[in-house]
Amino acid sequence: KRSKPDIIGVSFTTETRFNGFKTIKIAKRANPSSVVVTGGPHVSLAVEDTLLNMPELDIIVRGEGEFTFLDLVKTLDKDEDISRVEGISYRDDGQVVHNPPRPFIKDLDSLPFPTRHLLQIDKYNSFIEVPGKGKKKFFNVIGSRGCPNRCYFCAASLLSGRTWRGRSPEN
């Protein structure tokens, strides 16, 4: 609230969606003039439902968000029309608008590594049971995207395409 951000970004999965929705409501209440943006697997597959039921949410970044979010931030910073930003959905006069999808990132090596040294890991409850070592804190590492299969229990091919793309072993 004190920092009065122009943009507030929230990402979550289906499993954590209720905490994500709560965070969005709190953020918008604290900073009504901020643009609240979300992305991630859940909202990418439930765009209409999320926008219609979350009036505090302004924009959804669908699919791979790295370049979409960057483009959106630059567009908002210049006070330009967001209708040209690929890969987002939003409301316009109460109607949900879906801009064209952004193409998948072909070269995953082009993505910078996360600045994990800035993350205060002690504030997060990410633990995994390691046999013989007990519970240990962890980070996720995504080395590839896409899947050629269409398993009924998995959304990977819907979210990241049916072509497998990976970072190089050197990267």
Side-chain angles (χ1 to χ4, degrees), residues 40-109:
H42 181 81
V43 296
S44 290
L45 297 175
V47 177
E48 298 267 342
D49 183 58
T50 305
L51 283 171
L52 293 174
N53 290 294
M54 290 291 309
E56 301 85 358
L57 178 61
D58 298 305
I59 301 170
I60 290 177
V61 172
R62 304 185 319 265
E64 297 178 336
E66 292 90 350
F67 295 129
T68 301
F69 190 66
L70 179 61
D71 189 14
L72 176 62
V73 169
K74 288 179 178 179
T75 300
L76 291 170
D77 188 50
K78 294 176 186 173
D79 202 29
E80 294 177 347
D81 184 5
I82 63 170
S83 67
R84 67 156 199 81
V85 178
E86 293 177 324
I88 65 169
S89 296
Y90 53 95
R91 284 181 302 278
D92 187 15
D93 282 333
Q95 299 295 317
V96 175
V97 175
H98 304 287
N99 289 2
R102 182 170 301 272
F104 292 121
I105 301 166
K106 291 180 182 174
D107 180 14
L108 297 184
D109 286 357

Side-chain angles (χ1 to χ4, degrees), residues 10-156:
V10 180
S11 181
F12 50 88
T13 63
T14 299
E15 296 81 9
T16 61
R17 71 189 180 279
F18 296 116
N19 286 333
F21 296 154
K22 184 177 178 182
T23 301
I24 288 168
K25 288 178 182 186
I26 291 168
K28 194 63 163 187
R29 191 175 332 118
N31 296 284
S33 64
S34 295
V35 176
V36 179
V37 182
T38 191
H42 181 81
V43 296
S44 290
L45 297 175
V47 177
E48 298 267 342
D49 183 58
T50 305
L51 283 171
L52 293 174
N53 290 294
M54 290 291 309
E56 301 85 358
L57 178 61
D58 298 305
I59 301 170
I60 290 177
V61 172
R62 304 185 319 265
E64 297 178 336
E66 292 90 350
F67 295 129
T68 301
F69 190 66
L70 179 61
D71 189 14
L72 176 62
V73 169
K74 288 179 178 179
T75 300
L76 291 170
D77 188 50
K78 294 176 186 173
D79 202 29
E80 294 177 347
D81 184 5
I82 63 170
S83 67
R84 67 156 199 81
V85 178
E86 293 177 324
I88 65 169
S89 296
Y90 53 95
R91 284 181 302 278
D92 187 15
D93 282 333
Q95 299 295 317
V96 175
V97 175
H98 304 287
N99 289 2
R102 182 170 301 272
F104 292 121
I105 301 166
K106 291 180 182 174
D107 180 14
L108 297 184
D109 286 357
S110 69
L111 296 174
F113 290 108
T115 53
R116 291 200 167 124
H117 67 281
L118 297 177
L119 185 63
Q120 297 174 357
I121 187 65
D122 294 334
K123 291 188 174 187
Y124 294 86
N125 293 319
S126 300
F127 291 94
I128 190 167
E129 184 71 34
V130 178
K133 305 261 185 189
K135 287 188 175 183
K136 299 288 184 182
K137 288 196 176 263
F138 76 94
F139 285 114
N140 289 316
V141 174
I142 299 173
S144 67
R145 294 179 182 174
C147 180
N149 301 307
R150 292 184 182 164
C151 301
Y152 69 92
F153 56 84
C154 180

